[in-house]
Amino acid sequence: MRSIFLLIILCFFSCKTEKATKNNRGLIAENAMVVTARIEASEIGLHILKQGGNAFDAMIATELALAVAFPFAGNIGGGGFMVYRAADGKTGVLDYREKAPLAAHRDMYLDEQGNIIPGKSTLGGSSVGVPGTIAGIFAVHEKFGSLPIEKIIQPVIELALKGVVVTEVQERSLENARDLIIQVSGENTLFSLPYKAGDTIKHPAFAETLQRIKTTGKDEFYRGETALKIVDFLQQNGSIITLEDLEKYEAVWREPVRFSYKDLNIISMSPPSSGGICLAQILKMIEPFDLKNLGHNSAEYIQLLTETMKRAYADRSHYLGDPDFVQIPLERLLSDSYLKNRMADFSFEKATPSSEIPYGTIELSGEKDETTHYSIVDQFGNAVAVTTTLNGAYGSKLYSQELGFFFNNEMDDFSAKPGEPNMFGLIGAEANNIQPEKRMLSSMTPTIVEKDGKLWMILGTPGGSRIITSVLQTLLNVYEFEMTMQQAADASRFHHQWLPDEIYFEDDTIGLETMQQLQNKGYSISLQKAKIIGSIAAILVLENGTMEAGADRRRDNAAAGY
Ligand code: DON
């Protein structure tokens, strides 16, 4: 009865959303564009481009600006991934994901009985992985930068001093996190105060830290005065990170996952992200079907995607981890014969229970969208897709008042105990166990798509385990269902991650009849937990060569272009 009531409410919202987004185009620009989670960060990226900088220079400024304008996920105390396609068509990826400290070990989050200690991998110093962001931006600058680093960092210092106005979305997110921030970081930090929409938050301590980094470079963060302060602060707060951990940290250039879907070439993030592999598996599994004919978000469409999602996430759980530590059977996982065989038991008649696609059963915790993605195309034709994160909202909630930034809680992305869920309800196996200096498995899926050999789409999103399925649906919305980039970003999404065996819908989605059809075929539907799924920041290159932004309206995402 309760579920029918909820279905009726959902149907009502669904109609409103469709109307609101019909025929909408995002911002159009002729030369260059930046789409991020906050207008201040998009504008700083664009400012760098207008100074003659390229997309890589803009990436550095945007990444740092997000630490000020969007401290929820923007960071220098976390890590991320960048996928790029240079103007000459060369592609690659940078992995600046956090690493487990040298003193980490596989059972570090378990008590003597072998049970997970609540909060240890998610809150405070014990949950912090060795941060990679500063190494990441300097690696980008060294390889591709065209403007002096001082010129790139200066506008961010100015933004930090001037401050950023709190939006309504931010007011809510700060309010939600405040008790935990106080519990972890104390009563006397910048983020322990209550803020209302319209207030300005200034970041003088962060500006000082950035000023030192601007002067001394990467070493400031990994060996210099800032490094000493970081280690001292983290250790006082229960972390096992040492100066040696910081000194040893390097960002890594890797090969992307490259694959085709019909006439598209897709370039996406490789392990330690599961994003590219899962996206490739899902798209390859659905490629033989006529999606247009099934209809956007019809019961059959949802069913087909759901079944492919289940199979990809089951493989994710078992096979994927840091490629520097585990052997991933990449070729096999992406081979046509393997994927065809994976779908051999698929039928439109009824659901294939996840229990018949091996591995245990778990509960999905309520999750939000706490990472952040941005997309940039410059006036020279270079493109970058970057997803960067502290993991949870405001990471470990550990904020250094002296240094002016939050530290991540990325250690929770490891499998703390095989078969036990992490905060995204994802379960892992040996491939993602904790080892010193290992990178934790990610779902972040920054992605670039070529059509007819030319740059076509740049996209990504936050959303933990739901990142991969959000990127998938956004791409299909444009390619198969001819939506504009903005409509594709705004359209209702759903998610299945193998376990728990439930399809997640957003509050404003899908319609009663479709849901009933799915339930009749044996699908469990979750109506309550996943209020919003993802928050897309994308750019589409249109046929006439201009660009359209897809700045998801679920949040404060905003585009800037010229
Ligand atoms: O790397 C990952 O997959 C996660 N740490 C991403 C976290 C995220 O998207 C938070 N939002 N829900």
Side-chain angles (χ1 to χ4, degrees), residues 97 367-371 389 391 410 413 424 441-444 462-464 467:
R97 178 85 164 154
E367 54 176 297
K368 307 189 193 87
D369 299 285
E370 295 138 354
T371 297
T389 190
N391 195 26
E410 218 73 55
D413 273 349
F424 301 113
L441 184 62
S442 172
S443 302
M444 296 192 289
I467 290 174

Side-chain angles (χ1 to χ4, degrees), residues 274-513:
S274 57
I277 292 180
C278 289
L279 186 65
Q281 286 193 311
I282 295 172
L283 283 167
K284 290 275 174 209
M285 284 188 270
I286 63 177
E287 198 169 18
F289 295 86
D290 183 349
L291 301 187
K292 276 193 191 104
N293 201 28
L294 296 180
H296 182 250
N297 283 358
S298 66
E300 288 78 15
Y301 177 74
I302 294 167
Q303 191 186 357
L304 174 65
L305 264 61
T306 293
E307 291 296 339
T308 60
M309 289 170 185
K310 282 183 197 172
R311 287 157 175 81
Y313 277 79
D315 282 356
R316 176 198 195 278
S317 166
H318 188 68
Y319 290 111
L320 304 189
D322 182 347
D324 296 341
F325 285 73
V326 290
Q327 279 239 294
I328 298 172
L330 189 73
E331 265 180 40
R332 178 165 156 256
L333 288 174
L334 298 186
S335 75
D336 290 342
S337 55
Y338 173 76
L339 293 170
K340 195 169 167 215
N341 192 35
R342 210 73 178 105
M343 285 295 276
D345 55 351
F346 167 72
S347 149
F348 277 114
E349 297 304 309
K350 63 175 177 56
T352 314
S354 292
S355 55
E356 289 174 19
I357 308 169
Y359 313 121
T361 304
I362 44 101
E363 275 299 309
L364 180 66
S365 59
E367 54 176 297
K368 307 189 193 87
D369 299 285
E370 295 138 354
T371 297
T372 190
H373 177 86
Y374 55 96
S375 297
I376 303 176
V377 177
D378 70 18
Q379 60 278 29
F380 312 109
N382 302 297
V384 301
V386 181
T387 313
T388 182
T389 190
L390 289 165
N391 195 26
Y394 306 97
S396 59
K397 317 289 189 283
L398 184 60
Y399 178 82
S400 163
Q401 182 71 357
E402 184 185 9
L403 295 166
F405 63 90
F406 281 104
F407 287 89
N408 70 82
N409 59 351
E410 218 73 55
M411 291 296 284
D412 190 65
D413 273 349
F414 278 116
S415 170
K417 183 179 176 186
E420 292 282 329
N422 71 359
M423 74 161 99
F424 301 113
L426 290 166
I427 62 167
E430 286 304 313
N432 190 31
N433 66 12
I434 306 172
Q435 292 182 50
E437 293 199 84
K438 191 175 175 185
R439 287 173 157 95
M440 49 301 274
L441 184 62
S442 172
S443 302
M444 296 192 289
T445 315
T447 298
I448 295 181
V449 186
E450 296 172 348
K451 196 172 178 192
D452 303 324
K454 289 194 271 190
L455 181 65
W456 185 61
M457 189 187 285
I458 303 95
L459 80 165
T461 178
S465 56
R466 297 173 294 172
I467 290 174
I468 301 162
T469 54
S470 299
V471 167
L472 167 80
Q473 289 167 77
T474 308
L475 172 59
L476 293 174
N477 287 348
V478 177
Y479 185 73
E480 297 283 1
F481 300 104
E482 287 151 33
M483 292 188 199
T484 68
M485 192 69 256
Q486 186 60 48
Q487 286 171 324
D490 288 337
S492 285
R493 293 188 276 266
F494 56 91
H495 171 73
H496 198 298
Q497 60 180 48
W498 174 52
L499 294 172
D501 194 353
E502 283 181 330
I503 310 177
Y504 286 78
F505 290 103
E506 295 179 292
D507 276 353
D508 59 347
T509 192
I510 297 300
L512 180 60
E513 202 185 313

